[in-house]
Amino acid sequence: GQQVMQIPQYQHVQEGEDFTTYCNSSTTLSNIQWYKQRPGGHPVFLIQLVKSGEVKKQKRLTFQFGEAKKNSSLHITATQTTDVGTYFCAGFHSGGGADGLTFGKGTHLIIQP
Amino acid sequence: NAGVTQTPKFQVLKTGQSMTLQCAQDMNHNSMYWYRQDPGMGLRLIYYSASEGTTDKGEVPNGYNVSRLNKREFSLRLESAAPSQTSVYFCASSITGKNTEAFFGQGTRLTVV
């Protein structure tokens, strides 16, 4: 079936270091969304990318959508303890398939003070 | 504004028992979803409803049934619970299926013993 692969599964960083998570799909995505889930919480929408090659920024977070619309990345500059959580990418696949978001397995960000 | 409300928040079932997880949204959204979240597996789509009166299977529908009672409510039923259905269940809704963010409920933590 259609899958969205996300790496790494876990990432330990020192506070102040940068963090990147990557998302890859075997099929073209019509768009990609990113969500953050705090420990014990529910996923919360961060951003959506639609256009090929699109780059969006939210303060220390930079989101990119690949030219082929098959991959995406989230980069956090100078991590803070408030960034702790699991980051999920989620995509809708072009050309049919389930009309629901397909989520990657997420990257758990662990920050060591 | 309550957003997406799920009940119950916690539930323990014995193997073979049945139960219904309730979900309601007050945002006048057309699309609603049920996901399950297991450690290391991310969020997997169980069923979705693109609009009132329609439901479709997602990635892991076996052992579940759903009802889109009206535009606001989307329930998930376990007819004969199994230990493999121990999970955290999230309901979500969005204005339409694609290109719109999903809003998640707080989740239901279900344990089947």
Side-chain angles (χ1 to χ4, degrees):
Chain A
Q2 296 161 334
Q3 289 186 329
V4 175
M5 308 301 292
Q6 195 172 349
I7 57 170
Q9 188 174 359
Y10 293 92
Q11 183 72 58
H12 295 252
V13 300
Q14 295 284 337
E15 187 176 5
E17 291 182 336
D18 293 355
F19 159 77
T20 305
T21 174
Y22 300 91
C23 189
N24 292 286
S25 171
S26 57
T27 59
T28 304
L29 300 168
S30 59
N31 63 25
I32 195 154
Q33 299 180 352
W34 285 91
Y35 291 78
K36 177 183 178 181
Q37 184 178 24
R38 294 183 185 276
H42 59 280
V44 174
F45 176 82
L46 292 176
I47 207 161
Q48 175 172 273
L49 305 171
V50 178
K51 300 177 182 176
S52 170
E54 189 170 12
V55 178
K56 288 188 176 180
K57 293 189 176 184
Q58 289 179 350
K59 296 183 180 178
R60 295 177 294 104
L61 278 61
T62 301
F63 304 84
Q64 292 188 318
F65 201 11
E67 293 290 341
K69 301 184 73 172
K70 289 185 176 182
N71 58 74
S72 181
S73 65
L74 158 60
H75 179 82
I76 301 177
T77 303
T79 54
Q80 301 174 357
T81 55
T82 53
D83 296 325
V84 165
T86 303
Y87 292 85
F88 293 98
C89 61
F92 287 103
H93 292 266
S94 300
D99 194 25
L101 283 172
T102 301
F103 280 80
K105 293 184 178 181
T107 295
H108 300 264
L109 174 59
I110 298 139
I111 297 177
Q112 297 157 340
Chain B
N1 194 349
V4 179
T5 303
Q6 288 182 238
T7 56
K9 288 185 170 55
F10 300 94
Q11 183 72 50
V12 178
L13 289 178
K14 293 183 179 179
T15 298
Q17 286 185 318
S18 63
M19 80 160 295
T20 299
L21 280 62
Q22 307 287 351
C23 176
Q25 51 89 11
D26 61 2
M27 296 173 284
N28 201 35
H29 285 173
N30 292 301
S31 299
M32 298 186 73
Y33 313 90
W34 276 104
Y35 290 89
R36 61 178 288 174
Q37 185 173 33
D38 304 292
M41 299 297 293
L43 289 150
R44 293 184 292 171
L45 182 64
I46 305 171
Y47 270 94
Y48 67 97
S49 171
S51 61
E52 184 180 357
T54 68
T55 60
D56 286 283
K57 294 178 180 179
E59 181 186 357
V60 288
N62 292 345
Y64 306 95
N65 286 300
V66 290
S67 295
R68 185 72 183 267
L69 304 169
N70 46 56
K71 192 171 185 179
R72 290 187 63 247
E73 298 172 288
F74 188 39
S75 62
L76 178 72
R77 182 160 178 84
L78 287 70
E79 290 291 350
S80 179
S84 60
Q85 294 178 304
T86 294
S87 187
V88 179
Y89 291 85
F90 286 101
C91 176
S93 70
S94 62
I95 297 174
T96 61
K98 294 187 177 183
N99 294 337
T100 58
E101 69 180 275
F103 293 81
F104 284 79
Q106 299 294 322
T108 296
R109 187 172 295 276
L110 175 67
T111 302
V112 183
V113 298

